[in-house]
Amino acid sequence: MKKCIVLFVLTLLLITNFKFQPVHANEERKMQDETIYMIMVDRFNNGDVRNDNEANSNDPLAYHGGDFKGVIDKLDYLKEMGFTAIWLTPIFENTEKGYHGYWINDFYKTNDHFGTMEEFKTLVKEAHDRDMKVILDFVVNHVGPNHEWLSDSSKQDWFHEKKPISNWNDPNVVENGWLYDLPDLNQDNPEVRKYLIDAAKWWINETDIDGYRLDTVKHVPKDFWTEFSAAVKSEKDSFFLIGEVWHDNPNVIIGYQDTGIDGFLDFSQNDSLRTAFEKTDQSLGWLFSNNDRNQKTFDRPEKLGQFLDTHDIPRFAHLAINNNQDPVTQVKQGLTFLYTAPGIPIVYYGTENAMDGGNDPDNRRMMEFNSNDDLINYLSKLGKLRQDLSSLTRGNMELLYEEEGMAVFKRTYQAETVVVAINNTSESQKVVLTEGLEKGKELIGLLNGGNFKSDGKQYSIELKSGQSEIYELRNRGGITWIYIAGSIVILFAVSLYVWIKKRKKQNVN
């Protein structure tokens, strides 16, 4: 009898810990399902001091020692937080002091400060073993200062005439001028075009990477990007391209969506995100109007990269600190929206610790691994929910309520409905929803817990200042009845088993 009781308890535990598969579990994995962690290789983690090569962590413009081995050592750390892809700043051999990777000297060699080609291949394999994708930053607009090609007489026509960008509203000037005084490559030259495309294809075939983040897209002719996109995708069907068209006018970005580039960094939404969450009591309305605009104007809005900060702008936590806000609370609020709104979340290294940092290079400090467990745990919960709830990656978005920092919206995909509530005000808030949700159900809190049942007419949601919650709309008490029904079936089966065993024993005697 004791064995039966143990069997019953174990089975009951199995039922109560049963996890439902995401709606899209049997569907093909898409790029919009990814969550990307952005790494500046030199500033992330020093895994091998042998390649430091006069690194100086006290000089913000020098190498600090991060390398491929350091990234490999932290892949499990990233996986546990729910990241499914990493974006690495350029890893190619750079000219002197090109710690950031954007001053390329040789497109076919790794930066020896980061490690060897074999070590990078190991990084890609280790990431793939964890079902994580690797996206490389690829630069075709320019090379590093004082590049040897500049003194090569056979390559004089590989560059545009040395001129600064004097008119940012003139595409020709923007494409042909020397950005930050860097030698500007002439992609109209067939030799240059072939060299760049061949290099891009070579890295795919040599290392099996999964995508490119394309730097300075608007500084390069669109016809080049069309040829480039077709060429790299011919090497690997699933290869993903996300472009940086740095402009706050989405119409400028839209002008590149027919070039074959899959998605783009959404700078317009980024500006609204930072403004909305850098301090409390700010309207969140622009976030939703921007999303409505994106759905109407972009061909692939679900592939827009959404982010709080990058290596080119002050860290988001820095903005919160400057506004006398708790950076951890504000980062949580911003990440909640980032993970639950349409688009691909991109998280800059150190965000999980609310790292501070002003303008470049202060925003590129060496990674701090003295972790903020509270924020990391919160980010990990968000990452898991984003993987488990299909509506967060594939669903429609509808605003249910918004007023000066308090917002409630829902995401719906097939039969799944998720409701997100964010209180970015300085006071506790109560929102009563009378429209937009099916009546007679209940909202199950998935971040912090707590249920809100409909009284048949409305739902009431209450959040403290600085708190967010993600709810799943479920049948009222539905999961409880599943447990009860399952328990009854098991109890009956166990009882029947015991009865049959006793009868057999009696017959034997």
Side-chain angles (χ1 to χ4, degrees):
M1 187 62 185
K2 287 183 178 179
K3 290 182 179 180
C4 294
I5 294 173
V6 171
L7 177 62
F8 170 71
V9 171
L10 289 176
T11 309
L12 186 60
L13 285 172
L14 180 64
I15 290 177
T16 56
N17 285 282
F18 178 76
K19 299 259 193 295
F20 290 99
Q21 290 292 321
V23 174
H24 67 262
N26 297 319
E27 297 179 10
E28 181 184 359
R29 179 174 167 184
K30 297 181 179 180
M31 201 61 207
Q32 69 208 62
D33 301 322
E34 309 296 342
T35 308
I36 302 174
Y37 188 87
M38 179 193 174
I39 297 173
M40 179 164 277
V41 180
D42 177 64
R43 303 299 169 89
F44 185 60
N45 187 37
N46 191 343
D48 186 355
V49 296
R50 293 174 299 177
N51 57 31
D52 284 1
N53 302 333
E54 300 180 357
N56 181 3
S57 59
N58 294 318
D59 181 356
L61 296 177
Y63 284 93
H64 285 190
D67 47 37
F68 299 145
K69 180 64 166 55
V71 177
I72 293 171
D73 291 345
K74 293 297 181 180
L75 286 175
D76 287 334
Y77 164 80
L78 300 178
K79 178 75 173 178
E80 288 169 4
M81 281 191 289
F83 290 101
T84 62
I86 55 175
W87 154 18
L88 305 177
T89 49
I91 65 167
F92 316 116
E93 180 185 279
N94 265 230
T95 56
E96 188 179 2
K97 289 197 172 183
Y99 73 89
H100 42 69
Y102 294 92
W103 294 350
I104 297 176
N105 186 59
D106 192 322
F107 284 84
Y108 285 90
K109 293 181 180 178
T110 60
N111 189 325
D112 59 9
H113 287 268
F114 302 160
T116 65
M117 179 66 74
E118 288 307 310
E119 287 175 314
F120 178 68
K121 289 180 180 179
T122 299
L123 191 165
V124 175
K125 181 181 183 303
E126 290 291 332
H128 287 172
D129 287 346
R130 293 164 175 80
D131 201 23
M132 299 174 73
K133 295 181 178 179
V134 178
I135 299 170
L136 276 190
D137 215 318
F138 202 80
V139 185
V140 304
N141 176 66
H142 55 266
V143 292
N146 304 313
H147 195 283
E148 62 180 13
W149 290 346
L150 292 168
S151 56
D152 185 341
S153 60
S154 67
K155 290 183 170 57
Q156 293 304 297
D157 57 354
W158 278 40
F159 299 95
H160 291 121
E161 181 183 355
K162 185 176 181 178
K163 289 182 179 179
I165 299 176
S166 57
N167 183 357
W168 286 87
N169 293 317
D170 186 334
N172 290 325
V173 175
V174 171
E175 290 176 5
N176 299 331
W178 283 35
L179 180 67
Y180 301 126
D181 208 32
L182 293 170
D184 196 77
L185 289 167
N186 176 15
Q187 293 81 17
D188 289 329
N189 182 316
E191 291 181 349
V192 175
R193 184 172 292 222
K194 183 177 186 305
Y195 179 92
L196 294 171
I197 292 176
D198 285 350
K201 292 164 62 177
W202 184 85
W203 279 93
I204 297 170
N205 292 310
E206 188 71 17
T207 67
D208 196 30
I209 53 174
D210 305 287
Y212 286 132
R213 178 267 188 184
L214 302 173
D215 186 63
T216 53
V217 168
K218 69 180 181 182
H219 296 275
V220 176
K222 292 176 182 176
D223 68 300
F224 171 83
W225 290 123
T226 301
E227 184 176 345
F228 178 95
S229 300
V232 297
K233 289 180 180 180
S234 69
E235 303 300 315
K236 189 173 183 177
D237 290 339
S238 61
F239 203 76
F240 180 69
L241 298 175
I242 184 167
E244 178 211 37
V245 182
W246 194 339
H247 208 291
D248 58 7
N249 184 351
N251 291 320
V252 175
I253 303 175
I254 288 169
Y256 290 85
Q257 67 179 351
D258 292 333
T259 60
I261 300 175
D262 300 294
F264 300 90
L265 298 176
D266 191 351
F267 284 94
S268 175
Q269 183 72 314
N270 170 253
D271 184 60
S272 296
L273 268 169
R274 289 162 71 88
T275 300
F277 293 114
E278 66 183 8
K279 56 184 177 181
T280 59
D281 301 313
Q282 305 300 300
S283 173
L284 307 183
W286 279 106
L287 300 175
F288 300 97
S289 58
N290 286 348
N291 176 70
D292 290 343
R293 175 205 65 208
N294 288 347
Q295 299 301 318
K296 295 174 183 176
T297 57
F298 281 93
D299 291 340
R300 299 172 296 278
E302 72 281 358
K303 293 181 180 178
L304 290 173
Q306 304 296 348
F307 56 101
L308 290 175
D309 47 18
T310 68
H311 57 315
D312 289 323
I313 54 180
R315 285 186 176 270
F316 177 75
H318 184 75
L319 303 182
I321 293 169
N322 282 354
N323 282 290
N324 298 314
Q325 305 287 309
D326 173 25
V328 173
T329 298
Q330 296 313 118
V331 169
K332 282 183 177 180
Q333 299 287 69
L335 287 174
T336 301
F337 185 85
L338 197 70
Y339 271 63
T340 58
I344 304 171
I346 300 174
V347 178
Y348 186 38
Y349 82 93
T351 300
E352 70 270 28
N353 292 324
M355 275 182 65
D356 190 8
N359 290 315
D360 168 14
D362 189 42
N363 57 351
R364 303 174 179 182
R365 301 176 190 178
M366 195 67 183
M367 173 65 177
E368 301 168 0
F369 284 104
N370 52 335
S371 63
N372 185 308
D373 290 338
D374 177 43
L375 186 50
I376 287 178
N377 290 337
Y378 189 85
L379 183 59
S380 300
K381 284 184 179 179
L382 287 176
K384 187 171 190 320
L385 289 174
R386 194 169 187 278
Q387 292 177 16
D388 290 347
L389 300 169
S390 308
S391 53
L392 295 184
T393 60
R394 304 188 178 202
N396 297 324
M397 183 186 206
E398 181 182 340
L399 179 62
L400 302 177
Y401 176 92
E402 190 281 318
E403 187 171 332
E404 297 304 326
M406 177 70 196
V408 182
F409 61 94
K410 70 175 181 178
R411 301 289 307 276
T412 305
Y413 181 71
Q414 297 181 7
E416 180 183 277
T417 296
V418 169
V419 176
V420 182
I422 300 175
N423 181 8
N424 193 44
T425 75
S426 52
E427 299 178 355
S428 295
Q429 297 289 333
K430 179 178 180 179
V431 175
V432 177
L433 300 174
T434 58
E435 301 291 340
L437 296 176
E438 186 179 348
K439 303 296 190 301
K441 294 195 172 187
E442 63 181 331
L443 296 172
I444 309 297
L446 304 175
L447 262 183
N448 305 301
N451 302 350
F452 293 94
K453 297 180 180 179
S454 168
D455 62 2
K457 297 179 181 179
Q458 61 188 26
Y459 294 88
S460 295
I461 294 176
E462 298 181 37
L463 292 178
K464 297 177 181 178
S465 172
Q467 187 180 18
S468 297
E469 185 58 277
I470 299 172
Y471 304 95
E472 185 174 8
L473 187 66
R474 294 180 185 168
N475 291 326
R476 196 167 183 171
I479 197 69
T480 303
W481 286 112
I482 290 176
Y483 293 158
I484 293 173
S487 301
I488 292 172
V489 170
I490 293 170
L491 186 59
F492 175 78
V494 170
S495 300
L496 181 62
Y497 170 78
V498 172
W499 181 79
I500 292 173
K501 192 170 184 181
K502 283 184 176 182
R503 293 282 295 176
K504 286 183 177 179
K505 190 174 183 181
Q506 290 173 355
N507 291 335
V508 170
N509 292 333

